[in-house]
């Protein structure tokens, strides 16, 4: 059995070659972004190449100061009405999404929202409710996107204030649908069985 894994993007597909030419493609793995690979030192709009792919930063940068709240050396920092957006789609849809967040330095609280798109970014759908960030310690927000197909997501700071927000460790799990199996009819009576009315 031969196992080949593509590492071209964070959206990975495991292809297993079975005997007789049968190919099985496993579902895409989760898309994770920790902002450790990127570099952007200003709030001007621009694209950043990160480990998961290309992201657009609008009124946002990659922060590495001691006052940036981060798991590692870097995290995203957003101000005013800024946003960070995926420039790529992930093929596994979007199921459970987790995002770590905290206020920058001693800034005041921030409000932000998560949006996802299955139309290549033409239209966006808010996922879950508005999050208010008040802690200087990274907290984890959990969202259930439940979107099939090719999906991209973005984080939007929505309060428009100068208070800065740190975002780190974005993890997008695959969409999964569960169906209730049909009820099986009762087995027919066997020969010689006696059924009382």
């Amino acid at each position: 059995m031969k196992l080949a894994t593509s590492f071209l993007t964070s959206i990975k597909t495991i292809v297993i070659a079975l005997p007789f030419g049968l190919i099985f493609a496993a579902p895409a793995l989760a898309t994770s972004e920790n902002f450790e690979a990127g570099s952007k030192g200003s709030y001007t709009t621009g694209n950043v190449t990160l480990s998961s792919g290309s992201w657009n930063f609008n009124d946002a940068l990659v922060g590495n100061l001691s006052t940036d709240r981060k798991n590692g050396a870097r995290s995203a920092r957003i101000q005013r009405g800024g946003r960070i957006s995926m420039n790529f789609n992930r093929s596994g849809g979007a199921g459970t999404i987790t995002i770590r967040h905290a206020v920058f330095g001693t800034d005041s609280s921030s409000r932000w929202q998560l949006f996802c798109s299955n139309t290549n970014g033409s239209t966006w759908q808010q996922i879950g409710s508005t999050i208010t960030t008040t802690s200087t310690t990274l907290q984890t927000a959990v969202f259930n996107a439940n979107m099939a197909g090719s999906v991209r997501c973005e984080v939007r700071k929505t309060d428009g204030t100068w208070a800065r927000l740190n975002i780190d460790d974005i993890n997008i799990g695959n969409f999964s649908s569960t169906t209730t199996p049909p009820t099986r009819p009762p087995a027919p009576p066997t020969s010689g069985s006696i059924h009382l009315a």
Side-chain angles (χ1 to χ4, degrees):
M1 181 181 292
K2 200 186 297 183
L3 179 64
T5 306
S6 170
F7 291 95
L8 293 178
T9 68
S10 64
I11 306 170
K12 306 177 183 71
T13 301
I14 299 175
V15 179
I16 302 173
L18 300 175
F20 313 110
L22 180 62
I23 302 254
F24 169 72
L29 301 180
T31 296
S32 298
E33 184 49 63
N34 58 17
F35 303 99
E36 296 296 318
S39 177
K40 184 177 185 294
S42 72
Y43 289 104
T44 57
T45 301
N47 294 329
V48 184
T49 300
L50 301 171
S51 61
S52 61
S54 174
W55 289 65
N56 182 264
F57 278 49
N58 183 343
D59 230 341
L61 53 75
V62 177
N64 60 359
L65 301 179
S66 61
T67 43
D68 281 297
R69 311 305 174 182
K70 51 195 179 293
N71 176 28
R74 296 176 176 84
S75 62
R77 189 197 312 157
I78 311 172
Q79 67 176 10
R80 299 194 299 179
R83 64 186 65 187
I84 54 174
S85 313
M86 294 166 59
N87 286 329
F88 60 95
N89 295 325
R90 67 180 313 274
S91 60
T96 300
I97 301 174
T98 57
I99 301 175
R100 302 185 75 182
H101 59 103
V103 299
F104 169 83
T106 57
D107 286 7
S108 57
S109 63
S110 289
R111 293 191 305 275
W112 58 277
Q113 297 170 340
L114 172 67
F115 285 78
C116 292
S117 170
N118 56 8
T119 59
N120 299 313
S122 296
T123 57
W124 296 87
Q125 174 182 327
Q126 183 180 345
I127 306 299
S129 58
T130 300
I131 304 297
T132 299
T133 299
T134 59
S135 176
T136 56
T137 302
L138 286 171
Q139 307 295 312
T140 301
V142 181
F143 304 87
N144 293 310
N146 200 34
M147 294 181 71
S150 296
V151 174
R152 63 181 64 188
C153 298
E154 70 177 20
V155 173
R156 301 180 186 177
K157 190 172 183 293
T158 57
D159 54 29
T161 69
W162 288 100
R164 290 155 292 184
L165 167 71
N166 282 128
I167 295 290
D168 206 358
D169 294 336
I170 298 176
N171 187 82
I172 306 174
N174 289 338
F175 167 80
S176 64
S177 60
T178 57
T179 57
T180 303
T183 302
R184 297 180 61 183
T190 59
S191 175
S193 298
I194 299 175
H195 293 268
L196 301 178

